[in-house]
């Protein structure tokens, strides 16, 4: 069985091993259905642990920017709809930090096999990208000529979308 080609190409795509201590991103290219190991129920919050396990516990999720959606399906053999499940939406990003060196082949296997459930149906597709390179600062647009003195709100628009208020 020939391995299929990578789903992503271009600038920012990881093309080599990841060294320990390096940050990188996992981008979901399709919705991902994750299941909790403790309860056995569909639980999108279980995705970070499943992604870490897929990489052999050689990385940990440090930040995430995700959204959720209901997904369904249809069983042609039975002629019935499949139960809907809450999934992590395509386009969601998880920032990981390598705790030890990760060979490029391990990343390719994770991209090829995916993560979560119903991968045969196309769910759980993932690709790996370089770490975010910019963290732009957003300012209040009340007055572009001078910075806001009352309380400036700074937002990091990297993968985590964290905001803090300075007084």
């Amino acid at each position: 069985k020939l391995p299929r080609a990578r789903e992503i190409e271009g600038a920012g795509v990881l093309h080599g091993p990841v060294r320990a201590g390096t940050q990188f991103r996992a981008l979901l290219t399709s919705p991902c259905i994750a299941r909790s190991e403790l309860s056995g129920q569909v639980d999108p919050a279980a995705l970070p642990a499943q992604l870490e396990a897929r990489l052999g516990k050689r990385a940990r999720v440090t930040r995430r920017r995700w959204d959720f959606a209901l997904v369904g399906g249809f069983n042609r053999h039975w002629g019935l709809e499949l139960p809907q499940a809450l999934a992590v939406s395509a386009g969601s990003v998880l920032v990981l930090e390598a705790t030890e060196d990760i060979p490029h082949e391990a990343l390719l296997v994770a991209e090829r096999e995916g993560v979560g459930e119903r991968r045969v149906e196309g769910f759980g597709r993932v690709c790996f990208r370089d770490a975010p390179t910019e963290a732009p600062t957003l300012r209040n647009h009340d007055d572009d000529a001078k910075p806001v003195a009352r309380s400036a709100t700074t937002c990091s628009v990297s993968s985590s979308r964290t905001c803090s208020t300075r007084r």
Side-chain angles (χ1 to χ4, degrees), residues 28-37 40-51 54 66-74 82-92 94 113-126:
L28 292 180
T29 59
S30 70
C32 179
I33 302 170
R35 187 173 296 274
S36 170
E37 289 184 18
Q41 299 295 315
V42 171
D43 182 8
L47 175 61
Q50 289 183 359
L51 185 58
R54 174 66 66 191
W66 55 11
D67 196 14
F68 307 96
L70 280 177
V71 295
F74 190 80
L82 296 172
Q84 290 187 338
L86 187 61
V88 181
S89 295
S92 296
L94 290 87
E113 294 181 2
V115 65
E117 296 189 349
R118 294 172 55 183
R119 295 179 301 214
V120 173
E121 299 173 42
F123 291 99
R125 310 294 326 143
V126 64

